[in-house]
DNA sequence: ATATCTGTATGATATTTATCAGTTCATGAT
DNA sequence: ATCATGAACTGATAAATATCATACAGATAT
């Protein structure tokens, strides 16, 4: 067997093997095997170190990204030159959101917050499959629109809370949704927390200190331990 | 010819005749005539008076809405029991946004801000066509995702502006995007403006008065005339 | 006509949040 | 080793915004 064929077969077999991959399962459920194989074959995987930029706001859209592992920050410079973090994406998220369907340029800068593996597919191939296979399209829309709606919801939640409420919200979010532990290492700086929830760095620091003094959390650099969940929840609820 | 058939033919002919209808044109471009006819036949049109609620947040999703004419407010009660206006939708907007693709209940209350005509389609029929006709699906996604992204952008713009900048933004928006005139009748109360851009009613009133005293606008009840566009733009730009 | 309500309006004051200034601490560069 | 740099931190003060109180006009009900 010529090496090239052997190689391509091994590639097919090895490339889409993550059993918990949401995208893979969507593809396998709704796309005929031949198409699915093509997709898996052209798939590229890229690894990013903590802090590395995956794609920059304004770059022409050419690919569809899927987070295999790691954590990705989506940020954007506002028309007022202020930096905003839109959301922090987790494994199995499509980090392009819906922008790819109607824009020519990536709307957000994506940065790896920790060691991150990204699966990359040519966008036109994804679009082709979207056009050919309705259920695949619907699956993509469902997940992407859920993310978009969650972002809108996050903004509403922020805007109806004071600073303490927002910090409480952020800590609860990291603890419950991302790390699923009462103790975790913050993946972002105080400045970035400020950019995530729209306040100043000084006040992020100040309020974290307050929470520490009130025995709600323990702080050790970037390590946070939530010791009084109920109080934090209360501050979130009625802050 | 039996009356029922005559009726249904006249219905077919009369029901989807708006030449500038974005949805109609999307359908006619990508859906075979037989399917398109079914869609136009089951279409219902409903008229709402100013102030009437079209659908309430939390109601089970059953229909796809399209604004034929008028103006619709999308609002939501936050988890803090505070009312938020997400956006104001114009003719040719799909006011369900993307929520319909992944939720069971409408996420937002939709209220007519003026006399409004809504075209209503059973959601499952739209989903069927989405599954069968890729280009139709893509068209729906493109428009809906554009709206979602615009809402996210609106939040970022608000959050990086002070109150004067936000009011300027709102006035410019009404003038340029909605009424395309320097003089227009505000379709919402001062309280609703406050809910749209996240501030208090008193401050909305106060800042409108400031703008009036600074000869930037003229106010006559709900009627606003922008007399100094450049100043307003400046306040928007660097407020 | 009177009462009542809601929206608009304005001023005084309180509260929240941002800004500014300065310290410490860790980190990487020279 | 020391120097610069940036992040974390704190306090004092300024600025922005919300809250509270009050008034008044217009609409609606009694």
């Amino acid at each position: 067997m010529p090496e090239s064929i052997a190689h391509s077969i091994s590639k097919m077999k090895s490339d889409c093997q993550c059993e918990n991959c949401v995208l893979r399962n969507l593809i396998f459920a709704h796309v005929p095997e031949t198409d699915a194989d093509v997709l898996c074959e052209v798939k590229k995987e890229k690894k990013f170190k903590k802090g590395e930029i995956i794609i920059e706001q304004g770059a022409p859209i050419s690919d569809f990204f899927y987070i295999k592992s790691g954590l990705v920050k989506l940020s954007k410079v506002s028309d007022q030159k202020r930096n905003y973090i839109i959301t922090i994406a987790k494994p199995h998220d499509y980090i392009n959101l819906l922008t790819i369907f109607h824009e020519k340029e990536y709307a957000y800068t994506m940065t790896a917050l920790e060691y991150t593996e990204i699966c990359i597919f040519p966008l036109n191939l994804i679009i082709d499959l979207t056009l050919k296979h309705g259920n695949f399209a619907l699956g993509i829309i469902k997940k992407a629109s859920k993310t978009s709606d969650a972002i809108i919801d996050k903004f509403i939640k922020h805007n109806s809370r004071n600073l303490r409420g927002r910090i409480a919200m952020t800590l609860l979010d990291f603890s419950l949704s991302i790390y699923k532990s009462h103790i975790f290492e913050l993946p972002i700086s105080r400045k970035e927390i400020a950019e995530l929830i729209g306040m100043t760095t000084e006040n992020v620091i100040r309020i974290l200190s307050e929470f520490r003094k009130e025995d709600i959390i323990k702080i050790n650099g970037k390590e946070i331990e939530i010791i009084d969940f109920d109080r934090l929840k209360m501050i979130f609820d009625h802050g």
Side-chain angles (χ1 to χ4, degrees), chain A residues 67-81:
Chain A
I67 306 183
K68 181 179 176 184
S69 75
L71 220 49
V72 174
K73 169 178 92 169
L74 272 70
S75 64
K76 180 187 177 113
V77 179
S78 82
D79 61 342
Q80 301 284 71
K81 308 295 171 215

Side-chain angles (χ1 to χ4, degrees), chain A residues 158 161-176 184 193 197 199 203-204 207-208 211 214 216-217 224 226 228-239:
Chain A
H158 280 168
R161 279 179 169 74
N162 63 21
L163 301 190
R164 281 172 65 94
R166 285 184 223 172
I167 293 285
M169 178 171 156
T170 306
L171 294 178
L172 287 170
D173 212 44
F174 277 122
S175 170
L176 300 174
F184 55 88
I193 295 178
I197 54 185
M199 53 194 276
N203 278 333
V204 171
I207 288 165
L208 284 174
F211 285 0
E214 294 166 22
I216 298 170
I217 58 173
I224 302 280
I226 299 179
D228 193 339
F229 244 96
D230 294 342
R231 290 273 324 265
L232 203 56
K233 186 68 171 44
M234 251 184 55
I235 291 167
F236 165 74
D237 277 338
H238 103 308

Side-chain angles (χ1 to χ4, degrees), chain A residues 9-186:
Chain A
I9 286 177
S10 84
K11 221 182 166 194
M12 272 166 61
K13 293 223 166 135
S14 69
D15 259 10
C16 279
Q17 293 223 328
C18 308
E19 290 195 5
N20 60 345
C21 175
V22 173
L23 187 58
R24 177 191 118 117
N25 295 338
L26 184 64
I27 293 166
F28 276 58
H30 301 298
V31 173
E33 213 171 314
T34 48
D35 281 355
D37 282 349
V38 170
L39 200 62
C40 287
E41 222 175 315
V42 299
K43 184 195 76 168
K44 280 183 200 142
E45 269 188 47
K46 264 195 184 169
K47 293 143 184 22
F48 296 89
K49 278 177 277 186
K50 182 186 171 79
E52 272 190 300
I53 290 178
I54 297 167
I55 199 84
E56 200 120 18
Q57 171 182 0
I61 294 178
S62 58
D63 294 303
F64 179 92
F65 295 100
Y66 177 86
I67 306 183
K68 181 179 176 184
S69 75
L71 220 49
V72 174
K73 169 178 92 169
L74 272 70
S75 64
K76 180 187 177 113
V77 179
S78 82
D79 61 342
Q80 301 284 71
K81 308 295 171 215
R82 199 165 146 178
N83 201 47
Y84 256 89
I85 297 179
I86 311 301
T87 191
I88 292 173
K90 295 179 297 186
H92 312 306
D93 282 346
Y94 314 150
I95 48 179
N96 314 92
L97 305 188
L98 290 152
T99 310
I100 46 165
F101 288 112
H102 66 92
E103 287 284 3
K104 298 248 177 305
E105 298 173 354
Y106 292 104
Y108 311 113
T109 296
M110 305 172 207
T111 313
L113 292 177
E114 55 183 53
Y115 173 75
T116 293
E117 297 170 295
I118 304 282
C119 296
I120 302 176
F121 303 88
L123 180 62
N124 51 24
L125 200 59
I126 297 280
I127 299 262
D128 277 357
L129 291 187
T130 303
L131 291 176
K132 275 164 71 180
H133 309 292
N135 275 307
F136 176 70
L138 203 59
I140 296 264
I141 300 172
K142 268 189 187 164
K143 192 159 164 52
S145 62
K146 204 178 281 190
T147 308
S148 279
D149 273 9
I151 291 170
I152 293 175
D153 226 60
K154 192 203 77 167
F155 274 111
I156 294 175
K157 286 203 172 109
H158 280 168
N159 287 355
S160 50
R161 279 179 169 74
N162 63 21
L163 301 190
R164 281 172 65 94
R166 285 184 223 172
I167 293 285
M169 178 171 156
T170 306
L171 294 178
L172 287 170
D173 212 44
F174 277 122
S175 170
L176 300 174
S177 304
I178 297 184
Y179 295 110
K180 303 184 197 311
S181 161
H182 68 291
I183 183 166
F184 55 88
E185 189 93 359
L186 278 175

